[in-house]
């Protein structure tokens, strides 16, 4: 049974369906995709009563205008793109009710780059290789394998009641800055770089350029010198890997990264800081700080403990 929830009046800059990603297929050349900000995705789902891995709409910088087609509980997390319901501002990081005929739209971006719109019951789209995520370059997953366009009608999955009025406390809400310190684990190809390259990388500021997308961010800053060549035998690419091609300018690899790559990597961003990177706009300034594997693991465990208890810590 179809349960229409949104009709797209204006699609915005880039609006796609994303969940936690398509895992287990990279050896076949299938990229993981998934939400750029997995933390905001999970919180959006928890606030409406969904499983954390359910798909949500990922809205990039300029949000869509959507007419509500059926009563539902939704939540908006991530970037503050000035969401409005029937012309009135709505709270971020809090679930609320929408009714048939309502108009959900967005204004100017205030902070961050990507917002997530969850709906109680999830979105009713096919599961492709274990995921609802959209991979645009392959036309795979999501809504017909593409970004949403004017006239598209999205349906919700299970007709569940949802949880209205659940929110994060203000102190639990992420703050997205135009200047960020991002924690990294150095390597794995440090021997390919000059003696001072890592020191330069960790002591300099790099800027996110407009040549950035879901695949990765091109950064500009002090050049990182190689011993001889930037090329290596291609190997698997992790989320947050920082490649350095021959021009010495880092490339930060994100959700739609290629499965393998043949450039040296000077460091890898820890998983706890990926959500902040996902919210970086062109022009954002990044500084990198080295942490140990053990510290990164403890930060990951701390975040996961919070996510597991979000149902209890959310306030009404």
């Amino acid at each position: 049974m179809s349960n229409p929830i949104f009709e797209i009046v204006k699609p915005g800059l880039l609006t796609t369906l994303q969940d936690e990603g398509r895992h287990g297929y990279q050896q076949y050349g299938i990229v993981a995709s998934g939400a750029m900000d997995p933390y905001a995705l999970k919180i959006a789902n928890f606030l409406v009563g969904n499983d954390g891995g359910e798909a949500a709409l990922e809205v990039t910088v300029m949000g869509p205008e959507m007419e509500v087609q059926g009563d539902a509980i939704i939540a908006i997390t991530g970037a503050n793109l000035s969401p409005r319901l029937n012309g009135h501002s709505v709270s971020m990081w809090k679930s609320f009710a929408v009714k048939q005929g309502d108009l959900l739209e967005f204004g100017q971006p205030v902070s961050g780059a990507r917002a997530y719109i969850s709906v109680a019951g999830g979105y009713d789209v096919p599961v492709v290789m274990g995921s609802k995520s959209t991979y645009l370059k392959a036309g795979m997953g999501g809504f017909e394998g593409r970004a949403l366009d004017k006239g598209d009608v999205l349906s919700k999955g299970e007709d569940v009641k949802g949880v209205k009025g659940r929110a994060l406390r203000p102190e639990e809400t992420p703050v997205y800055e135009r200047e960020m310190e991002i924690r990294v684990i150095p390597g794995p190809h440090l021997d390919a770089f000059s003696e001072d390259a890592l020191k330069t990388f960790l002591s300099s500021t790099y800027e996110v350029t407009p040549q950035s997308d879901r695949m990765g961010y091109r950064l500009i800053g002090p050049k990182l010198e190689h011993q001889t060549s930037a090329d290596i035998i291609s190997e698997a690419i992790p989320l947050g890997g920082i490649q350095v091609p021959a021009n010495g300018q880092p490339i930060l690899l994100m959700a739609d990264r290629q499965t393998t790559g043949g450039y040296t990597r000077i460091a890898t961003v820890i998983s706890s800081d990926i959500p902040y990177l996902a919210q970086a706009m062109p022009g954002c300034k990044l500084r990198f700080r080295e942490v140990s594997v053990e510290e990164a693991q403890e930060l990951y465990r701390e975040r996961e403990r919070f996510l597991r208890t979000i149902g209890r810590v959310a306030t009404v």
Side-chain angles (χ1 to χ4, degrees):
M1 181 178 176
S2 178
N3 296 297
I5 175 61
F6 293 127
E7 180 175 353
I8 309 302
V9 179
K10 296 179 182 177
L13 181 63
L14 178 66
T15 305
T16 62
L17 277 164
Q18 302 291 343
D19 57 19
E20 291 184 296
R22 190 166 284 107
H23 301 289
Y25 298 95
Q26 291 189 84
Q27 66 266 40
Y28 306 116
I30 305 296
V31 307
S33 295
M36 288 279 279
D37 184 343
Y39 181 83
L41 170 80
K42 287 184 178 181
I43 298 295
N45 277 311
F46 288 147
L47 292 178
V48 299
N50 290 344
D51 177 82
E54 182 55 67
L57 289 177
E58 182 180 270
V59 173
T60 307
V61 183
M62 293 175 56
E65 183 177 318
M66 305 188 294
E67 183 178 311
V68 178
Q69 300 296 300
D71 298 357
I73 302 296
I74 71 170
I76 305 172
T77 63
N80 183 352
L81 307 181
S82 302
R84 300 188 297 265
L85 187 67
N86 301 325
H88 301 285
S89 296
V90 294
S91 297
M92 299 280 302
W93 305 91
K94 182 177 183 178
S95 58
F96 59 95
V98 294
K99 298 185 180 299
Q100 184 174 2
D102 285 348
L103 188 68
L104 180 66
E105 57 187 339
F106 295 80
Q108 292 295 316
V110 176
S111 64
R114 293 173 174 88
Y116 293 84
I117 308 172
S118 62
V119 59
Y123 291 93
D124 185 15
V125 295
V127 175
V128 179
M129 295 183 177
S131 172
K132 295 180 180 179
S133 285
T134 310
Y135 178 43
L136 294 170
K137 292 184 179 178
M140 175 187 294
F143 187 90
E144 300 179 0
R146 59 176 173 79
L148 297 183
D149 206 349
K150 180 179 179 179
D152 290 341
V153 176
L154 286 167
S155 294
K156 62 179 180 176
E158 299 177 44
D159 191 13
V160 298
K161 185 176 180 180
V163 183
K164 175 184 174 182
R166 177 173 287 177
L168 289 192
R169 299 187 182 100
E171 64 270 21
E172 296 165 345
T173 303
V175 177
Y176 308 126
E177 304 285 359
R178 295 286 293 180
E179 297 185 9
M180 305 182 190
E181 180 181 81
I182 300 297
R183 292 164 290 192
V184 299
I185 296 172
H189 303 127
L190 293 182
D191 57 350
F193 292 91
S194 69
E195 187 175 336
D196 293 331
L198 181 63
K199 181 180 178 181
T200 299
F201 176 70
L202 294 174
S203 62
S204 302
T205 298
Y206 288 85
E207 183 176 324
V208 179
T209 72
Q211 290 72 47
S212 301
D213 57 20
R214 281 181 47 87
M215 183 175 180
Y217 298 169
R218 289 188 177 273
L219 309 181
I220 188 168
K223 184 177 180 180
L224 303 176
E225 299 283 353
H226 294 87
Q227 294 276 17
T228 53
S229 172
D231 298 327
I232 59 170
I233 296 173
S234 289
E235 60 180 54
I237 296 293
L239 176 63
I242 303 174
Q243 288 185 328
V244 183
N247 66 3
Q249 298 300 312
I251 302 172
L252 228 166
L253 296 163
M254 299 297 286
D256 282 355
R257 67 199 179 280
Q258 69 273 30
T259 58
T260 62
Y263 291 133
T264 50
R265 298 197 308 279
I266 197 166
T268 302
V269 175
I270 68 171
S271 60
S272 297
D273 282 1
I274 291 292
Y276 292 98
L277 270 183
Q279 300 297 346
M281 295 268 281
C284 278
K285 303 291 199 304
L286 306 179
R287 293 184 65 88
F288 298 96
R289 178 166 68 87
E290 178 181 355
V291 297
S292 66
V293 171
E294 292 75 20
E295 186 177 351
Q297 290 171 339
E298 180 53 36
L299 288 166
Y300 175 81
R301 285 191 289 265
E302 182 180 322
R303 185 184 70 178
E304 291 303 301
R305 283 193 291 266
F306 173 74
L307 287 170
R308 282 196 297 269
T309 58
I310 189 60
R312 291 190 288 107
V313 301
T315 59
V316 177

